[in-house]
Amino acid sequence: MNAFVVAAIALLVGVIPCAVVAWRGQMIEAVVAYEAITDLMVMALILLCEGFGRSGEFELAVILAILMTGGGLVFVRTLERWL
């Protein structure tokens, strides 16, 4: 296990408090937690790609970042009447 994999595991542990806030928090807190989880997951995926030496899968992280940003915008648009 190298430093990249350890950093990815640390980021994945950081998802747990964000998931608790998304589950139990108010609506605006859930949106912020969703965006934080998105950022953490993309960074963890990039670190895992580098840690395992698979440079071809960086494309997946870039596509995931683009799709999750769009998903966040749709999520906020759907919840707009309650925010």
Side-chain angles (χ1 to χ4, degrees):
M1 227 188 316
N2 57 17
F4 292 110
V5 176
V6 172
I9 292 170
L11 284 175
L12 292 175
V13 169
V15 169
I16 295 170
C18 293
V20 170
V21 170
W23 182 261
R24 297 186 156 253
Q26 295 187 2
M27 200 65 67
I28 193 71
E29 294 168 350
V31 171
V32 172
Y34 173 78
E35 293 296 327
I37 289 172
T38 300
D39 295 339
L40 290 173
M41 294 303 293
V42 169
M43 287 186 286
L45 186 57
I46 289 172
L47 287 170
L48 286 173
C49 290
E50 183 64 31
F52 293 129
R54 297 181 176 226
S55 61
E57 276 121 26
F58 280 113
E59 296 170 1
L60 177 65
V62 172
I63 292 171
L64 180 67
I66 293 168
L67 291 177
M68 294 296 269
T69 302
L73 293 174
V74 170
F75 185 58
V76 169
R77 178 73 174 154
T78 304
L79 296 175
E80 182 178 15
R81 54 186 98 127
W82 292 292
L83 296 176

